[in-house]
């Protein structure tokens, strides 16, 4: 069976994004599926979805980037250019591993389908 994982890299400081709140939603129903925080390595302690819970569909990850950078002492604009980063993506094959990383700075981010 497949699974869904994520991690966050702080490209402004060159380190893992430790302590970032992460939420996973079913993008069609808006149901909150997971509410967690990244660990010292910028990863979640377990897969966000796996087994029977990991199904074909459209999902959305939300990352609380603004609070993370403020906690690091970064002076952000008011309102912050990036506060909550939302990434919608599709799972087409529930038998494989989907990894959705976030590379983030106060003024930009990128993502990709990793392994």
């Amino acid at each position: 069976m497949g699974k869904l994982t994520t991690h966050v890299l702080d490209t402004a400081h060159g380190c893992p994004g430790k302590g970032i709140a992460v939420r996973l939603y079913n993008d069609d129903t808006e149901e909150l599926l997971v509410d967690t925080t990244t660990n010292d390595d910028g990863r979640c302690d377990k897969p966000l979805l796996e087994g029977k819970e990991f199904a074909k569909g459209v999902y959305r990850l939300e990352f609380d980037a603004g609070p993370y950078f403020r906690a690091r002492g970064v002076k952000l604009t008011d309102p912050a250019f990036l506060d909550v980063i939302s990434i919608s993506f599709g799972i087409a094959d529930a038998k494989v591993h989907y990894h959705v990383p976030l590379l983030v700075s106060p003024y930009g981010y990128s993502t990709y389908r990793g392994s």
Side-chain angles (χ1 to χ4, degrees):
M1 304 269 333
K3 64 183 175 180
L4 172 65
T5 57
T6 190
H7 77 276
V8 182
L9 296 174
D10 175 347
T11 59
H13 296 98
C15 63
K18 173 186 175 181
I20 296 177
V22 178
R23 292 171 299 283
L24 175 69
Y25 293 88
N26 178 309
D27 208 30
D28 292 329
T29 65
E30 296 294 319
E31 177 187 3
L32 176 63
L33 303 172
V34 176
D35 189 357
T36 190
T37 304
T38 58
N39 61 24
D40 290 351
D41 197 33
R43 300 178 183 276
C44 298
D45 288 330
K46 62 181 187 172
L48 299 173
L49 292 175
E50 64 182 333
K52 293 179 183 179
E53 296 172 345
F54 185 63
K56 182 177 176 177
V58 180
Y59 297 88
R60 184 177 72 249
L61 276 168
E62 289 184 354
F63 300 87
D64 286 354
Y68 164 76
F69 284 113
R70 285 184 198 95
R72 286 199 58 117
V74 176
K75 184 167 172 59
L76 301 177
T77 57
D78 185 21
F81 181 69
L82 295 173
D83 197 31
V84 176
I85 296 172
S86 180
I87 302 170
S88 292
F89 59 96
I91 300 294
D93 184 354
K95 295 183 212 119
V96 299
H97 181 191
Y98 281 74
H99 184 68
V100 183
L102 176 68
L103 287 70
V104 65
S105 76
Y107 295 97
Y109 71 91
S110 65
T111 190
Y112 56 92
R113 179 171 172 204
S115 59

